[in-house]
Amino acid sequence: KVKENSTPKVVTRDMKGLKIAFYNSDSLKVTFEYFKKEEAIVTKKQTAFQNEVERRSKEYQNYIMKNNEKLRSGLLSENEQAQIQQRAQQMESDLMQYQQNEGARLEKETMEKLETISKKIEVFGKQFGEKNNIDILLIHGQGGQINFINSAMDVSKEFAAFLNEQQAEIENDTKK
């Protein structure tokens, strides 16, 4: 049997002069002012959420402990016990509902902010590439698809500086 050649016919191109650069995605978190500002807002909201959950949990626990002492001492009628049990169940239900609803809302808001920032970075990445005659601008980060890139191709600082220059436009666009 004659074996067929399975090598694909690919047209090769001379890539001399091709400019490839990359930026570290982690470096933008540290050097891109708009990202840092938005992250601080989200972090503040997450902290407030956690504090409120802790406050409500503590209030619930204190209510249970205080009334358990009264119960053991025999200071509560059956009617009072039923009311306390109902109130404790309501407090627990409210806490769980708050965690679910507020947690989901906060997560959604965070994802929307990150998506908006990513889209802006993509748009300005194109502008940065065009301005600097870069043919391919890659994103490098832990767990990404690029295992190694020569550090001579790193434009993280320059790209972050460019983004920071565009910050006013980014902020105006994201408020719309």
Side-chain angles (χ1 to χ4, degrees):
K1 228 177 182 183
V2 176
K3 203 173 188 182
E4 289 185 36
N5 183 359
S6 61
T7 306
K9 293 181 173 134
V10 178
V11 177
T12 59
R13 292 182 170 84
D14 180 6
M15 301 309 253
K16 291 180 184 171
L18 178 70
K19 284 179 77 175
I20 301 173
F22 75 95
Y23 65 89
N24 283 303
S25 58
D26 290 343
S27 71
L28 289 187
K29 294 175 184 176
V30 177
T31 57
F32 182 25
E33 294 302 321
Y34 182 72
F35 185 91
K36 290 187 333 186
K37 183 175 127 189
E38 291 298 311
E39 187 176 50
I41 291 169
V42 168
T43 301
K44 185 177 179 180
K45 287 181 180 183
Q46 288 172 337
T47 301
F49 169 70
Q50 282 302 107
N51 290 341
E52 181 63 14
V53 167
E54 287 174 20
R55 185 194 69 75
R56 290 181 182 207
S57 294
K58 193 172 190 175
E59 182 181 325
Y60 170 70
Q61 293 300 324
N62 289 340
Y63 183 79
I64 297 291
M65 288 188 330
K66 179 179 89 175
N67 288 299
N68 275 343
E69 289 175 17
K70 288 180 184 179
L71 181 64
R72 277 182 261 146
S73 301
L75 300 174
L76 300 174
S77 68
E78 285 186 31
N79 188 33
E80 289 172 321
Q81 289 176 26
Q83 289 175 343
I84 289 170
Q85 185 177 9
Q86 185 178 13
R87 172 73 177 127
Q89 288 173 343
Q90 183 64 46
M91 289 175 80
E92 183 179 32
S93 174
D94 290 348
L95 173 62
M96 292 177 72
Q97 188 174 8
Y98 175 78
Q99 284 180 303
Q100 289 173 348
N101 293 342
E102 190 62 19
R105 186 196 64 74
L106 192 57
E107 184 177 339
K108 181 181 179 202
E109 182 182 335
T110 301
M111 294 306 295
E112 286 172 352
K113 280 185 184 283
L114 289 174
E115 186 177 323
T116 300
I117 291 169
S118 293
K119 286 179 182 178
K120 291 295 175 187
I121 290 172
E122 186 178 330
V123 167
F124 287 113
K126 181 177 187 256
Q127 290 178 11
F128 179 77
E130 290 171 348
K131 180 180 177 183
N132 294 287
N133 297 317
I134 297 171
D135 298 302
I136 302 172
L137 181 61
L138 304 169
I139 304 168
H140 182 49
Q142 187 174 5
Q145 296 178 344
I146 301 167
N147 188 358
F148 171 77
I149 301 177
N150 185 321
S151 61
M153 298 168 62
D154 188 353
V155 295
S156 299
K157 290 178 187 173
E158 295 85 351
F159 186 51
F162 178 79
L163 289 172
N164 287 330
E165 289 171 9
Q166 310 303 316
Q167 185 155 337
E169 185 176 334
I170 292 171
E171 288 175 348
N172 287 338
D173 288 349
T174 54
K175 288 178 185 172
K176 293 178 184 175

